């Protein structure tokens, strides 16, 4: 460890030691490696593919990558933490991740100040070995620096960034683009649920006991509703298509929050109810109820940024573009936190997706979906809570929390997809500027309550969105307080709007081409048709 001792001595003398343990200079089909730390560190190179293994657990191994190669790779495996600096790097891999981080601890990837770095993956056939991403990390990943990092995935099944644990992004300009097709579609059957066998849940002959039409209630769903939610005065929220038009507690009364539309299940199914097998660790569009045009699942969908842990964006400029059905823009299984910076996501599928809380604390976020929800949270307190408790209680875990910043969540497909989808779990609005566009079930998307809307919020049902025509909101004196231009048209949208200028008791007017509506914010949450 001579280099470490030398750095310590230099620091004591008043200067800074900047040399990396290992420097790699890519040059076409070869890579030159300069290795300053050799004890317990193994380096091997095959053309422009470099593999590094370190046994040090306490020392943070530092690397600097430079140069250009059309068929190169870094495979890094260390027992301790690592810090990789990208310094004007253009690295393309023809198979497997250009940056393949097999570390047992956190890796920091820093973009050198003022530099432009581009990582590209063109093929992802070996998905079983975790090579199906431009950057793949086994442990936590920090992306930072005051330069630019372009992530390009062109191969089928290739993601942009994929980790098994948390991702943190700050400072840098990060551009992620995926354009390949998915590697095969997963089968699913009628009524498939996560964890169910291939083919989906099999409906028993005669229906679901004990809800039949005879004295023993074994013949299927009763006429008039799903007990105890039928059509009489005490059972006003019947099963869709049989009773009062909604699954409890989401009936057709004034408290309805995103209930099922009259006539039954919406076309397109419900998210997260497809089949999963033992190999389905991460991917999917979302299953859906087979037989109801359910959403699809894929073996390897070309997502932009995906993590099995939590994704946190603290600062910087992040742009994500995906091009294939089932390819979410940003997906954090354990949640997503937007603390700052500018984030712009466009996807045919969910632009932003999590199986836990999505928090907006101060970033400027634009999430657009061409064919699904713009922002979709599927928390444990979500869909099935009507069967086991009141998901609208303040004790339930929220799905989406908005405290500050700007949240533009736009779904172009219409009902039942939404701008902000909470799967019936609470939506909390504490601050910030919000303008969502979408449909919702029966034109009722996910909304806050008077208790969870700490900042006055309005749901505008039936607003006509016209492409490139501004939607303006004026106060009672005619002062413009908010203006948003949407890049697509959508008739009879359901738009959730909130901003710091809103005051309870005041009157406002929303205007767009062919539409004008004046409303009063009578409560913290107000629905306007």
């Amino acid at each position: 460890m001579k280099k470490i001792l030398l750095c310590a001595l230099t620091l004591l003398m008043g200067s800074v030691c900047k040399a990396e343990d290992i420097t790699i200079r890519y040059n076409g089909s070869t890579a030159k490696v300069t290795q300053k730390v050799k004890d317990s560190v193994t380096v091997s190179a095959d053309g422009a593919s470099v593999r590094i293994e370190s046994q040090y657990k306490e020392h943070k191994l530092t690397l600097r990558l430079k140069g250009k190669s059309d068929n190169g790779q870094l495979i890094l495996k260390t027992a301790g933490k690592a810090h990789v600096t990208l310094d004007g790097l253009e690295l393309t891999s023809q198979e497997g991740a250009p940056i393949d981080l097999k570390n047992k601890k956190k890796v920091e990837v820093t973009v050198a100040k003022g530099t432009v770095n581009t990582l590209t993956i063109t093929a992802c056939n070996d998905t079983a070995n975790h090579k199906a991403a431009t950057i793949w990390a086994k442990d936590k990943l920090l992306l930072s620096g005051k330069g630019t990092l372009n992530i390009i995935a062109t191969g089928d099944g290739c993601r942009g960034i994929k980790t098994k644990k948390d991702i943190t992004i700050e400072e840098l300009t990060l551009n992620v683009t995926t354009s390949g097709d998915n590697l095969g579609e997963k089968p699913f059957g009628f009524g498939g649920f996560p964890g169910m066998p291939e083919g989906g849940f099999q409906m028993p002959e005669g229906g679901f006991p004990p809800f039949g039409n005879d004295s023993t209630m074994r013949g299927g769903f009763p006429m008039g509703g799903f007990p105890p939610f039928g059509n009489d005065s005490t059972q006003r929220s019947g099963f869709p298509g049989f009773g009062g038009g909604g699954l409890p507690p989401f009936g057709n009364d004034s408290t309805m929050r995103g209930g099922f539309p009259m006539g039954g299940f919406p076309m397109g199914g419900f998210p997260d109810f497809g089949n999963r097998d033992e190999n389905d660790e991460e991917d999917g569009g979302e299953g859906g109820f087979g037989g109801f045009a359910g959403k699809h699942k894929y073996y390897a969908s070309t997502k932009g940024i995906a993590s099995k842990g939590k994704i946190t964006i603290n600062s910087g400029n992040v742009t994500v573009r995906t091009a294939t059905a089932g390819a979410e823009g940003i997906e954090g299984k354990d949640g997503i936190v937007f603390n700052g910076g500018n984030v712009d996501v466009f996807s045919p599928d969910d632009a932003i997706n999590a199986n836990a809380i999505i928090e907006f604390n101060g970033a400027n976020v634009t999430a657009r979906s061409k064919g699904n929800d713009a922002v979709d949270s599927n928390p444990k307190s979500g869909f099935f809570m009507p069967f086991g408790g009141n998901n609208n209680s303040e004790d339930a875990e929220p799905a989406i929390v908005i405290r500050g910043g700007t949240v533009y969540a736009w779904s172009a497909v219409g009902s039942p997809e939404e701008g902000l989808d909470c799967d019936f779990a609470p939506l909390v609005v504490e601050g910030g500027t919000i303008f969502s566009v979408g449909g919702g079930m029966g034109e009722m998307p996910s909304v806050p309550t008077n208790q969870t809307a700490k900042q006055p919020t309005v749901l505008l049902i039936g607003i006509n969105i016209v492409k490139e025509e501004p939607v303006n909101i004026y106060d009672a004196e005619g002062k413009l307080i908010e203006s948003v231009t949407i890049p697509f048209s959508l008739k009879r949208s359901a738009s959730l709007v909130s901003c710091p200028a809103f005051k309870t008791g005041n009157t406002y007017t929303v205007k767009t081409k062919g539409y004008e509506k004046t409303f009063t914010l009578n409560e913290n949450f107000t629905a306007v048709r």
Side-chain angles (χ1 to χ4, degrees):
M1 302 296 288
K2 294 180 181 178
K3 181 259 182 184
I4 300 174
L5 295 174
L6 180 60
C7 284
L9 180 61
T10 307
L11 286 170
L12 289 173
M13 296 174 63
S15 62
V16 179
C17 179
K18 296 182 179 181
E20 274 72 29
D21 297 331
I22 298 172
T23 299
I24 304 174
R25 292 176 174 84
Y26 292 92
N27 184 13
S29 60
T30 63
K32 181 181 179 181
V33 180
T34 302
Q35 184 180 358
K36 294 183 178 297
V37 173
K38 297 184 179 180
D39 294 343
S40 299
V41 178
T42 302
V43 179
S44 60
D46 181 7
S49 179
V50 180
R51 184 181 185 92
I52 299 173
E53 294 191 33
S54 171
Q55 301 302 317
Y56 287 116
K57 293 183 179 180
E58 301 302 326
H59 172 58
K60 182 190 293 185
L61 193 71
T62 61
L63 298 86
R64 183 173 293 266
L65 278 56
K66 300 181 176 184
K68 179 179 180 179
S69 175
D70 292 332
N71 190 17
Q73 190 177 24
L74 168 67
I75 302 173
L76 178 64
K77 183 178 182 180
T78 73
K81 296 180 180 180
H83 188 167
V84 180
T85 299
L86 309 183
D87 188 359
L89 178 68
E90 293 184 46
L91 189 62
T92 298
S93 172
Q94 300 298 326
E95 171 62 42
I99 304 293
D100 189 354
L101 305 173
K102 301 180 182 296
N103 278 43
K104 294 182 178 180
K105 291 188 178 180
K106 180 179 177 181
V107 178
E108 301 173 16
V109 176
T110 300
V111 177
K113 183 178 180 179
T115 65
V116 177
N117 303 266
T118 301
L119 303 175
T120 305
I121 186 169
T122 63
C124 294
N125 297 313
D126 191 9
T127 57
N129 291 321
H130 308 297
K131 297 180 180 179
T134 306
I135 295 179
W136 186 87
K138 183 178 181 180
D139 206 273
K140 294 180 180 179
L141 176 66
L142 169 64
L143 295 170
S144 66
K146 297 182 179 180
T148 299
L149 176 58
N150 300 314
I151 299 291
I152 302 172
T154 61
D156 292 349
C158 294
R159 306 168 186 84
I161 300 169
K162 177 70 177 72
T163 70
K164 296 188 75 172
K165 294 189 178 180
D166 299 347
I167 300 174
T168 302
I169 300 169
E170 53 194 29
E171 292 186 308
L172 84 166
T173 295
L174 176 64
N175 303 309
V176 179
T177 304
T178 70
S179 57
D181 290 330
N182 303 305
L183 289 182
E185 187 171 331
K186 289 179 178 290
F188 60 88
F190 177 80
F193 295 92
M196 291 296 178
E198 185 173 351
F201 190 91
Q202 301 300 312
M203 181 76 76
E205 184 176 356
F208 269 120
F211 307 111
N213 284 326
D214 58 18
S215 60
T216 59
M217 303 189 71
R218 289 180 296 185
F221 292 123
M223 298 302 294
F226 199 131
F229 310 105
N231 254 340
D232 60 25
S233 60
T234 63
Q235 301 172 347
R236 60 183 176 180
S237 298
F239 196 85
F242 299 92
L247 193 62
F250 309 105
N252 283 330
D253 59 20
S254 61
T255 62
M256 176 180 175
R257 302 180 183 91
F260 296 136
M262 293 294 293
F265 293 110
M267 294 304 292
F270 297 104
D272 276 340
F273 299 102
N275 287 331
R276 303 173 76 89
D277 56 34
E278 66 273 13
N279 296 317
D280 182 16
E281 296 181 340
E282 54 186 319
D283 284 309
E286 294 142 348
F289 285 103
F292 287 100
K295 298 180 183 180
H296 296 239
K297 294 181 68 62
Y298 304 95
Y299 285 104
S301 58
T302 55
K303 301 173 183 178
I305 302 174
S307 172
K308 287 188 176 182
K310 179 181 289 187
I311 297 175
T312 302
I313 299 178
N314 291 323
S315 57
N317 298 287
V318 179
T319 301
V320 180
R321 298 287 184 269
T322 65
T324 306
E328 288 94 347
I330 299 177
E331 180 191 57
K333 291 293 187 181
D334 287 345
I336 305 174
V337 181
F338 298 95
N339 288 325
N342 302 297
V343 181
D344 186 348
V345 186
F346 174 78
S347 173
D349 205 274
D350 296 334
I352 297 171
N353 175 275
N355 286 353
I357 301 174
I358 301 176
E359 302 177 57
F360 299 89
N361 296 323
N364 298 314
V365 180
T366 299
R368 292 182 292 154
S369 174
K370 184 179 179 180
N372 212 326
D373 299 313
V375 178
D376 182 21
S377 173
N378 306 293
K380 294 179 181 178
S381 60
F383 186 82
F384 278 108
M385 283 299 289
F387 295 101
N390 181 7
N391 65 318
N392 291 306
S393 73
E394 295 187 52
D395 295 331
E397 179 186 49
I400 297 174
V401 178
I402 303 173
R403 300 185 178 94
T406 301
V407 180
Y408 291 155
W410 303 332
S411 174
V413 70
S415 216
E417 312 305 344
E418 308 178 39
L420 299 168
D421 184 2
C422 293
D423 276 6
F424 305 110
L427 169 62
V428 178
V429 177
E430 297 180 357
T433 297
I434 306 166
F435 200 109
S436 74
V437 172
M441 295 183 179
E443 295 185 341
M444 283 296 294
S446 300
V447 296
T449 65
N450 281 324
Q451 289 71 41
T452 62
K454 312 298 182 182
Q455 175 175 280
T457 303
V458 61
L459 174 66
L460 301 172
I461 303 173
I463 185 173
N464 185 37
I465 303 295
V466 180
K467 181 179 180 179
E468 306 301 341
E469 291 288 338
V471 180
N472 296 325
I473 299 178
Y474 303 87
D475 65 14
E477 285 71 42
K479 178 183 177 182
L480 180 66
I481 61 172
E482 189 63 38
S483 181
V484 178
T485 300
I486 314 298
F488 57 83
S489 296
L490 186 63
K491 293 182 179 180
R492 290 197 60 78
S493 75
S495 295
L496 195 69
V497 183
S498 184
C499 68
F502 277 174
K503 305 296 181 186
T504 304
N506 288 1
T507 298
Y508 303 89
T509 300
V510 57
K511 294 182 180 180
T512 185
K513 190 174 183 179
Y515 178 93
E516 180 175 337
K517 187 76 174 182
T518 298
F519 59 91
T520 301
L521 292 173
N522 294 316
E523 300 178 282
N524 287 348
F525 171 69
T526 303
V528 177
R529 289 186 179 271

